[in-house]
Amino acid sequence: MSKLSVEQVKLYLSKVPGWKLVEERMALSRTYHCADFADAIRLVNRVAECLEHDSQHVEIHLSAGTVTFTLTTREARGLTGKDFALAQTISKVS
């Protein structure tokens, strides 16, 4: 899949509310605040179930009741349409 330009990325951001662009990494990121650590683990597990057969890489940072997902396509050295599709999937299961 082709790397998106910065202009395309900014346009596509409107399709994934709550996600932000991390420009220095050309990545999408979203942080979820959960009730507690167990709730955060359940969120990570729900996302993992959806992505079990997907080759896309997701960076997950888990701390107490906070989970941050960061998406980028390493092969493209930036963001692709697949990253935005993945952000939509994560948003649906959160």
Side-chain angles (χ1 to χ4, degrees), residues 2-90:
S2 300
K3 177 179 170 180
L4 300 172
S5 69
V6 174
E7 293 79 23
Q8 289 172 309
V9 167
K10 289 181 179 181
L11 179 67
Y12 288 3
L13 273 173
S14 65
K15 299 177 191 286
V16 287
W19 289 82
K20 66 178 183 175
L21 174 62
V22 183
E23 286 194 55
E24 62 273 4
R25 292 183 59 195
M26 279 312 288
L28 292 177
S29 183
R30 183 169 181 181
T31 299
Y32 291 89
H33 300 281
C34 304
D36 53 30
F37 184 73
D39 193 36
I41 290 292
R42 284 189 288 275
L43 171 59
V44 170
N45 285 335
R46 285 194 305 273
V47 170
E49 285 178 27
C50 290
L51 304 178
E52 186 174 345
H53 301 291
D54 193 318
S55 62
Q56 189 76 353
H57 299 284
V58 179
E59 182 181 310
I60 301 171
H61 182 262
L62 175 65
S63 176
T66 303
V67 181
T68 301
F69 297 99
T70 304
L71 314 174
T72 191
T73 300
R74 293 180 192 147
E75 297 82 17
R77 295 189 178 136
L79 291 166
T80 67
K82 192 168 183 177
D83 296 302
F84 283 91
L86 185 53
Q88 288 176 329
T89 298
I90 293 171

